[in-house]
Amino acid sequence: MAHTETSGTNRRDFLYIATGAVGTVGAAALAWPFISQLQPDQSVLALSTTEVDLSPISEGQIVTVQWRGKPIFIFNRAPKDVEAARAVPMSQLIDPQPDQDRVKSGHDNFLVVVGICTHLGCVPLGHQGNYDGWFCPCHGSQYDSSGRVRVGPAPLNLPVPPYTFTSDTKIVIG
Amino acid sequence: MEGHSTYQPQGKIARWFESRLPLVGLLHSSAVSYPTPRNLNYLWTFGGILTFMLICQIVSGIVLAMHYTAYAPVSFARVEHIMRDVNYGWLIRYIHANGASMFFIAVYIHIFRGMYYGSYKAPREVLWILGVIIYLLMMATAFMGYVLPWGQMSYWGATVITNLFSAIPYVGETIVLWLWGGYSVGDPTLNRFFSLHYLLPFMIAGIVGLHIWALHHVGQNNPDGIDVKSVAKDTVPFTPYATIKDVFAMVVFIMFFAWFVFYIPNYLGHSDNYIPANPLATPAHIVPEWYFLPFYAILRSVPDKLGGVLAMFGAIAVLAFLPWLDTSKVRSARYRPLFKQFFWIFAVVAVGLGYLGAMPAEGGYVIASRILTVYYFVHFLVILPVLGLIERPSVMPASIADAVLARGAKGAAAPGAKA
């Protein structure tokens, strides 16, 4: 539209800015539900904790449970596995972290980790590889008895999910 | 009225692109510089509103399909899952369900506007027929969408509508079998309806493209029904004049739409559809969605299976022949004193048929439906052809500009009067 000779702000400027502001707020208010619906819905969130009874897991056994659709490895480690994991000097690790930080004290034999290779998301095989832990069949990454990466290409240790002991033999993941 | 493009690409990249694909020039000539008759009223904003509704339905529908499952044992629960679990699922579903009704409200206003102002007459016959095809596709899409929640009305609506085809002699039963994918409405029916419900809106979008193309080729009709004689005097550019007017009307329409979505989201639905589909019990009072009611009344008014089905489809098909049934050379009802009265009688009859479609098929309702059904066809097949021959049109202004200026002068003579 043609500009008329006016000084300062006029009524049209006000209407223009007010309309634009209301329109922007309206568009954002409409866009948010359409973005929000992409997030996990209530039925997914309701399944976000998993309770596990540890008593049937014998020494040396690895059990896989599901939490939020992901495999969780629960490894009841023999004392020699724990000692081996704790004897490794930090300098030898790709992603240095002491074994003590990866377990709950008082339950040092139980290792709970997310069973997804930190390289590209495959599920590593238990009791395989050279470090008493896991071997990933996809690209050859190896993890030790603490779930720490020892041979690449994986860059990081298997992550420890949030969990708590609700009794001596029960944990709640999530 | 040719859309002459005044678009001049600015800058190297724009020139490079325009010489290879004149896309911006096309958009410019059809949505910016396109000449629109200067006497258009707010009834001409419904084309834009309908485009908005189509986009609204496609966007909300794609999102709903992300959370829905077309499998008879779970579909009802999946819709409840959308309502209760999915973030803002209730909002998106209510937008989609009420959006269908808004779409039909807008399309009925659009169709009646075309009838009143003679928008179907030469050279706009193809434009009109494309519109009838869009309307048919809309009805098919809406019907199949209503089946997806798999409630009682979904199930029995699907049963009744698909059974219409069984009235066709010889091949009817086979066609119904093909529609069902079984011996009754069931999971295969639900699955194919979901697939088609997703497909048809994109076919509508394609025909809408042709509809707009045809419109921009022959030019818009206008409330005076007179051809544009001088682009300079009789028209204004689409942008900003039509753009701003369309957007304003759209916002008002969205407010109306939002009122339904937020305050009475189930008003236009039927409570029986919150009962899961039960193949063993039909609801006591079964009615289609409101936008099908006039045709439903026509179907029920004929006491013969094939006759009823033919009457119902004929009531829609007759619209396609409207350009040739109306023999008058004058387009707008403004200059057709008799037609104007018959138009309003027809409008009342159409609404009356809608009312009767919602009433039980018994007693006086049936008699009234029969009278109105006969009148519906008489309007198209007798009144319109004869009216064109006997009616004496009133004096028409020489041009659109004259019509606008004459009304402007009247408005100036009586201050405060609506122009």
Side-chain angles (χ1 to χ4, degrees), chain B residues 306-352:
Chain B
L306 179 59
V309 173
L310 286 178
M312 191 186 79
F313 284 111
I316 302 163
V318 75
L319 294 172
F321 298 95
L322 187 53
W324 297 277
L325 290 171
D326 185 347
T327 50
S328 173
K329 295 277 175 252
V330 178
R331 292 199 190 101
S332 173
R334 254 183 204 170
Y335 306 106
R336 297 186 61 190
L338 282 177
F339 170 77
K340 193 191 262 182
Q341 293 173 32
F342 281 107
F343 170 85
W344 287 113
I345 295 170
F346 174 75
V348 170
V349 165
V351 173

Side-chain angles (χ1 to χ4, degrees), chain B residues 45-63:
Chain B
T45 59
F46 280 86
I49 288 169
L50 284 161
T51 311
F52 167 79
M53 284 315 305
L54 178 62
I55 294 166
C56 167
Q57 289 301 87
I58 288 178
V59 169
S60 58
I62 287 171
V63 168

Side-chain angles (χ1 to χ4, degrees), chain A residues 91-141:
Chain A
S91 58
Q92 283 187 16
L93 296 173
I94 295 170
D95 177 17
Q97 194 184 20
D99 181 63
Q100 286 87 335
D101 290 359
R102 297 174 55 77
V103 294
K104 304 283 179 198
S105 90
H107 303 281
D108 300 62
N109 55 324
F110 279 108
L111 175 76
V112 180
V113 287
V114 176
I116 294 177
C117 182
T118 56
H119 180 220
L120 291 171
C122 296
V123 178
L125 305 170
H127 298 300
Q128 288 195 29
N130 302 326
Y131 299 92
D132 304 320
W134 288 268
F135 169 79
C136 182
C138 292
H139 304 94
S141 298

Side-chain angles (χ1 to χ4, degrees), chain A residues 22-127:
Chain A
V22 171
T24 309
V25 171
L30 186 66
W32 175 243
F34 282 85
I35 296 164
S36 179
Q37 59 85 22
L38 294 167
Q39 294 179 329
D41 64 37
Q42 298 302 315
S43 65
V44 173
L45 295 176
L47 300 174
S48 63
T49 59
T50 301
E51 197 183 60
V52 187
D53 182 6
L54 303 179
S55 53
I57 306 174
S58 55
E59 191 177 283
Q61 191 184 4
I62 300 175
V63 166
T64 306
V65 298
Q66 223 180 0
W67 170 68
R68 289 188 172 176
K70 292 188 267 201
I72 302 291
F73 296 148
I74 303 173
F75 185 10
N76 185 357
R77 302 182 295 180
K80 70 167 178 60
D81 293 327
V82 179
E83 279 163 32
R86 291 182 179 185
V88 182
M90 288 295 118
S91 58
Q92 283 187 16
L93 296 173
I94 295 170
D95 177 17
Q97 194 184 20
D99 181 63
Q100 286 87 335
D101 290 359
R102 297 174 55 77
V103 294
K104 304 283 179 198
S105 90
H107 303 281
D108 300 62
N109 55 324
F110 279 108
L111 175 76
V112 180
V113 287
V114 176
I116 294 177
C117 182
T118 56
H119 180 220
L120 291 171
C122 296
V123 178
L125 305 170
H127 298 300

Side-chain angles (χ1 to χ4, degrees), chain B residues 142-166 176 179-180 184-186 189-190 193 273 277 282-283 286-288 292:
Chain B
F143 158 66
M144 287 192 273
Y146 195 56
V147 174
L148 303 183
W150 211 238
Q152 274 290 68
M153 279 295 167
S154 301
Y155 186 90
W156 292 101
T159 301
V160 170
I161 301 296
T162 50
N163 265 314
L164 292 177
F165 294 91
S166 72
V176 172
L179 287 172
W180 288 345
S184 65
V185 172
T189 326
L190 175 60
F193 278 16
N273 219 26
T282 309
I286 178 159
V287 285
F292 294 136

